Amino acid sequence: MSTSPAGDDKLQGLLAKLDEATTLLAQARAFTKPTKLPRVLDTARRVLMQEGGAAEVEARSQALEEAGVFAGSDWDTPQYLLPSLTTHALKSADPNMVVIESLSELRLVAVAKCDYLHPLISAEQAHHYLTQVLALNLWLLFSAPSEAERETQGRLAQIPRHLFRHLADRIGYEHIIDKLIEEIWRILQQRPIQVDSVKQMITQIAICQADPSIDLGISGQGADRLVSSLFGPTQACREDPGVEVYRERLSSMDNSALQSEATGFARAMHDTGLASAYHPVLIRHLLDHGDHLVAEALGLSSTGRDCLLCYRELVHALIRGAVHPATPQAVYGLALMLERGILYQPPVAPAMWRQLGLSLSEWSKSRIELAYGDAVSPRARLLEGVLCMLGLPLGVGQGNNPTCQSARALSMWAYNDPDYLLQMVAWAARDDEIIMHFEGMPLSSMASLEGVAKELPVDLDPVSLLVVPHLDRIYAEMGRRCIGREGDPHRWVNPEFHGWWSGRGFRINVDVATGQLHDLDAFLRHFYASYHPYYNGNQPLIHPQPAGIAVTDSAARFIGWHAITVLRVTLDPSDVMRAYFYNPNNDSGQDWGDGIKVSTAGNGERFGEASLPFEQFASRLYIFHYDPLERGELNKITQEELDQVIGYIHRSWGSDRIPPTELQADAGPRHPS
């Protein structure tokens, strides 16, 4: 849309004022910046009200950020922003809230388009974020301001619409719905425990499809499976009649009709990883109609069926306690837990009975109600979380919190030591205290002063919500106990914190004192000899092992250190040796630059796993544990293999960490990105 000459003159005048205000903010000392900021935000608001204003602000987004517009606010760390919170910010009656959210989105458009190389977030991360923001706020693209918006925001309601038209123009209008659907499937392939934001996105697409005033053209065809999985997975609820109507319909069905319903729900759930609110209604109804129908509705194989029949009473109690229309994902968690067969481990079934009758502390109840509301009891909500974590141990996410160590621990215990996880949940939820031991000394989560996270997280699954604050404080206290020791504290902390199976052998390729690369050759040789099947006697990894990676962005620039779990190393379907690992950062599919793109599906990954070819994975590793008594064949590893990995390191996170004394040989041609 072209602007009129008069409008263009007005915009140019406002832009001159915005540039002047931005310069004054940039030049101001830190303690005087708050007095200069209101002028910038007010002028930016007036610019964003104009046609073409969003594009002009995007072009200035780097200057605005560097001047300090986001300093000291949540928007200052874009890598932690939650797409689901944008709706509230953009609907706000506070002009400053709407403007700063809009400035943040426009900054991320510049990052996504590679016009702004941001130090904290990559172009790919920005693109994923914006795609989700568009999905959650589709109404801003297709509908005029509602009466409520006009009442609360007045003319301010124009800004989000100008903003989203610009976002859609920049990301590509004609493919926007298709990109959203692609994004949703990409996330679902990783089978996260927390799917509320995905369900919100699907709901927005469903609303747009149902609105006759919105013409989506040929786009959005791939959404049908997603929409039906939530709102009409089977014939009897195809038109989304509501839970009560569906319950009445079930009461008049014969066994054949119930069988058909059970099969339809199971197929939809296992296709998408999403459970409809109608699914719990069916499951609860089937408790009185025979276990074969319950098994059918859960989509169980012979393994899960046997487990259900063996522990029939417990499974029925879990369904009655955890499976409600407000907690539909409990169905999926229960199905996958039965498929894993973990109830056959002697302590797990009694621990689940304890969980069913667990008395939650007042603190635990209030935390769960604050995060999830009171549609079901806190005990039922926590039980849903337990089932999902035991069913999807690799679906644990850290949320927007620096607690990757604690998320990794929960995932590892759910994967490898489920009764220990259930003990942790009991202590945290009932007693408000967890006690762990470090080198024989007890550490109480209530005695430890503070953890890595400065605030209590709320954007977590129910188990993490209660347990992570305790683990975080204990982990930080273990680190404090290592002060004064030579080397990296993870050497001592990881085995004590995660479990006895963490290897006592430890390697790090960064000198802790200087931050420079240290003894790369020996580091890589030991990693290959411990983990690569060709050099460790073809010994599969027995227990998941903690490891640390140097995360890089799509330009291969260093972002930070991150905790992961190495799960297995094996040949993929194309006969490429791959390392499969768990990443607690909520979304494992990332571009780490220099041709290294983390895969989450299509290369032999199980749900929740990320993977890379072995040499690429080794190039981002900086810490690993191993068993020093199980020696691999160090001498068989060729220098050529090691040099390939060292080349990747020198071209990325290690480029400015090469010791001055090291002979800097040519790392070879840069891998095409």
Side-chain angles (χ1 to χ4, degrees):
M1 187 185 294
S2 59
T3 53
S4 67
D8 196 47
D9 288 345
K10 183 177 182 183
L11 178 59
Q12 293 306 318
L14 287 170
L15 290 171
K17 291 180 179 177
L18 178 61
D19 291 340
E20 182 186 345
T22 305
T23 302
L24 290 173
L25 179 66
Q27 292 172 347
R29 294 186 175 185
F31 66 89
T32 63
K33 280 187 187 289
T35 63
K36 308 291 182 186
L37 185 58
R39 182 181 166 190
V40 174
L41 295 180
D42 184 61
T43 315
R45 176 185 61 79
R46 293 161 68 195
V47 170
L48 290 167
M49 299 280 277
Q50 305 296 314
E51 286 292 342
E56 295 290 351
V57 172
E58 182 197 323
R60 291 161 170 77
S61 58
Q62 183 169 355
L64 284 161
E65 178 160 19
E66 289 171 352
V69 163
F70 305 117
S73 73
D74 290 343
W75 292 273
D76 203 20
T77 49
Q79 73 275 30
Y80 293 145
L81 291 176
L82 280 173
S84 54
L85 296 182
T86 57
T87 305
H88 174 74
L90 293 169
K91 281 183 170 179
S92 173
D94 177 4
N96 286 345
M97 174 71 82
V98 175
V99 169
I100 201 158
E101 181 63 45
S102 301
L103 293 179
S104 178
E105 309 298 348
L106 291 167
R107 158 193 59 178
L108 291 173
V109 176
V111 174
K113 287 292 182 181
C114 299
D115 296 330
Y116 176 9
L117 276 176
H118 201 283
L120 297 176
I121 188 168
S122 70
E124 189 185 44
Q125 286 172 299
H127 198 281
H128 287 325
Y129 175 86
L130 290 169
T131 305
Q132 292 180 49
V133 167
L134 280 163
L136 292 168
N137 299 282
L138 276 178
W139 51 279
L140 284 170
L141 274 178
F142 298 117
S143 59
S146 65
E147 190 61 41
E149 285 176 89
R150 285 194 293 272
E151 197 66 38
T152 56
Q153 288 189 304
R155 291 187 62 229
L156 196 62
Q158 292 176 27
I159 289 181
R161 282 165 177 77
H162 287 166
L163 169 71
F164 271 74
R165 279 203 298 274
H166 177 71
L167 292 188
D169 285 339
R170 294 286 275 149
I171 285 179
Y173 235 111
E174 68 284 4
H175 301 302
I176 189 165
I177 299 290
D178 294 328
K179 280 185 188 279
L180 303 182
I181 294 165
E182 192 181 311
E183 178 75 3
I184 290 166
W185 277 114
R186 191 186 66 78
I187 293 167
L188 287 178
Q189 279 177 330
Q190 299 174 56
R191 291 298 192 267
I193 290 174
Q194 290 178 278
V195 290
D196 284 350
S197 64
V198 171
K199 288 185 174 182
Q200 285 171 16
M201 287 191 244
I202 295 170
T203 303
Q204 288 299 318
I205 292 172
I207 290 168
C208 286
Q209 286 183 326
D211 190 333
S213 67
I214 296 173
D215 180 15
L216 295 177
I218 60 166
S219 65
Q221 300 304 309
D224 291 346
R225 187 52 171 149
L226 295 169
V227 172
S228 69
S229 72
L230 287 187
F231 301 111
T234 64
Q235 194 67 25
C237 60
R238 183 178 52 181
E239 82 283 25
D240 193 17
V243 165
E244 291 307 321
V245 172
Y246 181 65
R247 190 177 281 121
E248 286 173 24
R249 289 178 182 177
L250 287 176
S251 63
S252 61
M253 285 187 194
D254 61 15
N255 263 19
S256 173
L258 289 173
Q259 170 89 36
S260 175
E261 288 292 294
T263 306
F265 273 112
R267 189 182 298 123
M269 178 175 75
H270 287 287
D271 277 357
T272 61
L274 299 173
S276 163
Y278 294 111
H279 205 155
V281 180
L282 175 71
I283 294 275
R284 294 176 75 90
H285 179 78
L286 293 178
L287 288 178
D288 301 322
H289 288 75
D291 289 329
H292 70 287
L293 283 175
V294 174
E296 195 70 47
L298 291 170
L300 300 179
S301 70
S302 57
T303 304
R305 243 173 243 267
D306 287 349
C307 205
L308 164 61
L309 295 173
C310 240
Y311 294 93
R312 180 178 183 276
E313 210 177 323
L314 173 59
V315 173
H316 280 228
L318 288 170
I319 290 170
R320 290 194 176 96
V323 175
H324 305 279
T327 55
Q329 289 303 117
V331 180
Y332 192 46
L334 175 62
L336 294 185
M337 183 189 77
L338 292 171
E339 285 294 298
R340 291 184 68 207
I342 58 175
L343 290 179
Y344 290 122
Q345 296 178 28
V348 175
M352 290 302 284
W353 280 114
R354 176 183 60 192
Q355 189 67 43
L356 274 162
L358 196 70
S359 296
L360 273 59
S361 70
E362 289 305 315
W363 169 250
S364 296
K365 288 178 188 173
S366 63
R367 289 279 292 147
I368 288 175
E369 285 179 346
L370 175 68
Y372 288 99
D374 55 4
V376 293
S377 70
R379 183 189 289 177
R381 185 70 70 180
L382 179 58
L383 200 52
E384 178 198 32
V386 166
L387 290 173
C388 287
M389 192 168 283
L390 291 176
L392 291 157
L394 304 183
V396 182
Q398 70 189 74
N400 284 337
N401 311 287
T403 51
C404 52
Q405 299 277 357
S406 299
R408 173 174 70 179
L410 288 174
S411 166
M412 201 180 281
W413 299 332
Y415 183 90
N416 189 56
D417 200 356
D419 56 298
Y420 185 68
L421 171 73
L422 291 167
Q423 183 65 63
M424 288 289 178
V425 174
W427 281 335
R430 183 191 61 207
D431 308 328
D432 293 330
E433 180 181 35
I434 285 176
I435 295 174
M436 297 176 76
H437 289 77
F438 182 69
E439 297 176 343
M441 299 293 290
L443 298 182
S444 163
S445 61
M446 297 311 289
S448 300
L449 297 174
E450 62 176 31
V452 180
K454 301 305 177 196
E455 296 174 2
L456 281 175
V458 291
D459 56 333
L460 298 173
D461 65 84
V463 171
S464 300
L465 189 74
L466 298 187
V467 183
V468 162
H470 295 281
L471 296 182
D472 186 42
R473 289 195 289 269
I474 289 174
Y475 172 76
E477 182 59 33
M478 286 183 178
R480 285 191 280 270
R481 298 284 174 103
C482 294
I483 292 173
R485 299 185 187 186
E486 188 178 343
D488 189 279
H490 293 102
R491 174 192 298 270
W492 302 281
V493 171
N494 280 344
E496 299 279 346
F497 186 67
H498 291 97
W500 65 265
W501 57 83
S502 300
R504 293 286 169 168
F506 178 83
R507 288 273 166 176
I508 182 169
N509 61 13
V510 175
D511 182 79
V512 175
T514 64
Q516 294 188 321
L517 294 172
H518 171 69
D519 209 1
L520 263 187
D521 204 89
F523 173 88
L524 292 171
R525 209 169 274 281
H526 276 86
F527 181 61
Y528 269 74
S530 300
Y531 286 84
H532 197 298
Y534 293 170
Y535 305 112
N536 72 359
N538 201 22
Q539 171 60 56
L541 192 61
I542 297 170
H543 296 104
Q545 292 295 322
I549 54 171
V551 180
T552 52
D553 65 10
S554 55
R557 297 170 303 168
F558 177 71
I559 292 177
W561 311 112
H562 188 54
I564 61 155
T565 308
V566 185
L567 299 170
R568 57 196 181 99
V569 177
T570 189
L571 290 171
D572 70 10
S574 304
D575 285 338
V576 173
M577 189 63 72
R578 294 183 86 86
Y580 295 87
F581 59 98
Y582 159 74
N583 189 338
N585 74 341
N586 313 308
D587 182 4
S588 303
Q590 295 170 336
D591 183 346
W592 287 347
D594 197 20
I596 299 180
K597 291 190 176 181
V598 182
S599 167
T600 56
N603 289 295
E605 294 89 356
R606 297 164 187 163
F607 289 142
E609 287 183 333
S611 82
L612 279 171
F614 191 85
E615 68 280 359
Q616 293 188 354
F617 178 74
S619 76
R620 293 300 185 266
L621 196 68
Y622 87 100
I623 275 176
F624 71 90
H625 290 259
Y626 65 103
D627 185 344
L629 300 178
E630 293 189 5
R631 293 189 179 87
E633 300 172 75
L634 292 166
N635 297 328
K636 280 195 174 180
I637 304 149
T638 66
Q639 193 60 43
E640 187 183 355
E641 283 180 278
L642 300 185
D643 287 345
Q644 184 186 8
V645 180
I646 291 169
Y648 276 121
I649 295 171
H650 283 183
R651 291 194 299 270
S652 58
W653 66 276
S655 61
D656 57 355
R657 297 174 183 273
I658 301 170
T661 53
E662 189 177 304
L663 286 173
Q664 293 186 30
D666 180 16
R670 188 176 179 85
H671 194 289
S673 58

